[in-house]
Amino acid sequence: MLPTDRDFMERALARARQARDTGEVPVGAVLVDAGGQILAEAGNAPIANHDPSAHAEMLVLRDAAQKVRNYRLPGTTLYVTLEPCPMCAGALVHARVERIVYAAADPRAGACGTVFDLARSDALNHRIEITSGVLEDEGSALLKSFFAERR
């Protein structure tokens, strides 16, 4: 049986939990090729990497691009536990990712329809299909508990 969106989102949630356990904001991402093979997976690491761009989405794009030896990643699907921010959405458009599946919406900086819609903007030369709310409760709860513990 082929893996489902929920299966890949479970993997992204596992990466988010790993990020949380190291003190990072718990966001995880998994990038899958058109055949359903995982190209890359990561959790947030800006603190560990001393890199403000080390969001989970950016890390999987970098890893996958190196693996396929191409900066374009057509036919791929990104599974991510939190709606991508403008930086990540812009990079996903440039990489020509076909689809983004996210768990929780980001009401402060979401760039896939919540605050901005860079992923589907007619002003850009590539638009990405968006599926939201896959395991939304789990993704949202992970973030809420993380921030509640830090207060």
Side-chain angles (χ1 to χ4, degrees), residues 29-81:
V30 176
L31 189 70
V32 178
D33 70 14
Q37 297 298 307
I38 293 174
L39 293 173
E41 52 189 316
N44 267 1
I47 297 167
N49 292 1
H50 309 289
D51 178 358
S53 71
H55 290 192
E57 301 95 309
M58 300 296 284
L59 295 173
V60 297
L61 285 178
R62 290 175 188 145
D63 190 22
Q66 289 298 309
K67 284 180 182 167
V68 302
R69 307 208 37 83
N70 193 339
Y71 71 107
R72 300 278 195 227
L73 300 165
T76 58
T77 298
L78 176 78
Y79 294 88
V80 62
T81 59

Side-chain angles (χ1 to χ4, degrees), residues 34-141:
Q37 297 298 307
I38 293 174
L39 293 173
E41 52 189 316
N44 267 1
I47 297 167
N49 292 1
H50 309 289
D51 178 358
S53 71
H55 290 192
E57 301 95 309
M58 300 296 284
L59 295 173
V60 297
L61 285 178
R62 290 175 188 145
D63 190 22
Q66 289 298 309
K67 284 180 182 167
V68 302
R69 307 208 37 83
N70 193 339
Y71 71 107
R72 300 278 195 227
L73 300 165
T76 58
T77 298
L78 176 78
Y79 294 88
V80 62
T81 59
L82 179 66
E83 179 182 3
C85 72
M87 172 185 69
C88 294
L92 292 160
V93 168
H94 286 295
R96 305 297 192 264
V97 168
E98 184 174 315
R99 184 172 172 239
I100 297 168
V101 179
Y102 69 84
D106 184 348
R108 301 180 106 192
C112 295
T114 300
V115 179
F116 309 102
D117 202 355
L118 292 177
R120 296 179 290 199
S121 174
D122 288 335
L124 301 175
N125 60 351
H126 176 71
R127 279 157 290 292
I128 303 173
E129 178 187 337
I130 304 296
T131 301
S132 61
V134 175
L135 298 178
E136 179 177 10
D137 291 343
E138 292 87 336
S140 182

Side-chain angles (χ1 to χ4, degrees), residues 5 7 10 13 17 19 36 40 48 73 75 89 104 112 116 118 138 141 149:
D5 285 350
D7 295 328
E10 287 286 356
L13 284 163
R17 287 183 203 99
L73 300 165
C112 295
F116 309 102
L118 292 177
E138 292 87 336
E149 289 172 15

Side-chain angles (χ1 to χ4, degrees), residues 8-28:
F8 288 121
M9 190 61 73
E10 287 286 356
R11 286 188 73 116
L13 284 163
R15 287 304 192 141
R17 287 183 203 99
Q18 289 175 340
R20 174 204 60 202
D21 293 346
T22 64
E24 301 281 358
V25 173
V27 177

